[in-house]
Amino acid sequence: MRVVAGIYGGRRLHAPRGDGTRPTSDRVREAVFSALGPLDGAVVLDLFAGTGALGIEALSRGAARALFVEQDRRALAVLRRNLADLSVPAPAAQVRGGDARAALRTARERGDHYSLVFLDPPYRLAPALGDELTDGLTGLLAPGARVVAEMDRRAPLELGLPCVLDRRYGDTLIRIHSATT
């Protein structure tokens, strides 16, 4: 697995052993970022970050900063290793260990706003998280923000936000939603 394009383009990313973390494939990441277009200055929230591949790709392509949230300790260690190996500066990348829903509450309390959010929850949990994640994102999305959700096509994550793109890549379904604010 590699960073597809940008300042870190071609650089290798690590993934934890086993099937506990499911990194977004290079092919799917390339398609997502082609659909998103320029990211200059974007403020990114990468929930269920895993290896950090989506947020790192955004930073590589011009995003100003990214907050990575991951609960799994092994994935969190790999995420930190990926950021260190790429020498991503600390102000540009912040990592928080813990539950994504708690991170949303904390971000709201701090008054944070994001222009790009990545949601890639464990596939088995995705169908039950739609309403909770939609509510959690309320107040966090900057005007014109986009939310990219990755899911298994057989167990979709249904968000209460307008869907502007719906694409399937094998069993992976990508939906890009727009902020309603």
Side-chain angles (χ1 to χ4, degrees):
M1 181 173 62
R2 298 189 180 280
V3 179
V4 176
I7 61 173
Y8 305 120
R11 303 277 302 272
R12 186 172 191 270
L13 295 174
H14 303 280
R17 294 189 191 278
D19 58 3
T21 301
R22 173 195 31 77
T24 304
S25 73
D26 294 359
R27 176 180 160 239
V28 172
R29 265 185 294 118
E30 185 170 11
V32 165
F33 284 92
S34 290
L36 289 172
L39 298 179
D40 298 336
V43 179
V44 176
L45 174 60
D46 190 350
L47 288 177
F48 311 98
T51 64
L54 291 168
I56 289 170
E57 190 76 43
L59 290 170
S60 184
R61 293 172 183 246
R65 58 190 166 92
L67 172 61
F68 298 86
V69 179
E70 176 55 52
Q71 187 169 6
D72 182 82
R73 287 184 320 208
R74 290 184 329 149
L76 196 56
V78 169
L79 166 59
R80 287 187 170 118
R81 178 181 177 193
N82 284 335
L83 291 168
D85 286 355
L86 295 171
S87 299
V88 178
Q94 295 180 9
V95 178
R96 296 235 164 70
D99 181 69
R101 293 161 288 202
L104 290 172
R105 286 190 296 275
T106 300
R108 190 177 313 110
E109 290 167 4
R110 283 193 315 257
D112 294 348
H113 291 92
Y114 299 95
S115 52
L116 181 59
V117 177
F118 294 109
L119 301 174
D120 188 7
Y123 282 177
R124 70 186 185 289
L125 300 179
L129 291 174
D131 290 340
E132 195 171 0
L133 289 173
T134 300
D135 291 344
L137 289 169
T138 301
L140 294 179
L141 300 176
R146 293 171 290 175
V147 177
V148 178
E150 179 178 345
M151 65 207 82
D152 186 299
R153 68 175 176 81
R154 297 163 296 219
L157 172 63
E158 301 292 347
L159 296 175
L161 298 169
C163 182
V164 296
L165 181 99
D166 188 316
R167 296 266 163 79
R168 188 172 144 195
Y169 304 91
D171 286 336
T172 301
L173 182 61
I174 298 290
R175 288 186 177 150
I176 299 178
H177 301 268
S178 65
T180 56
T181 57

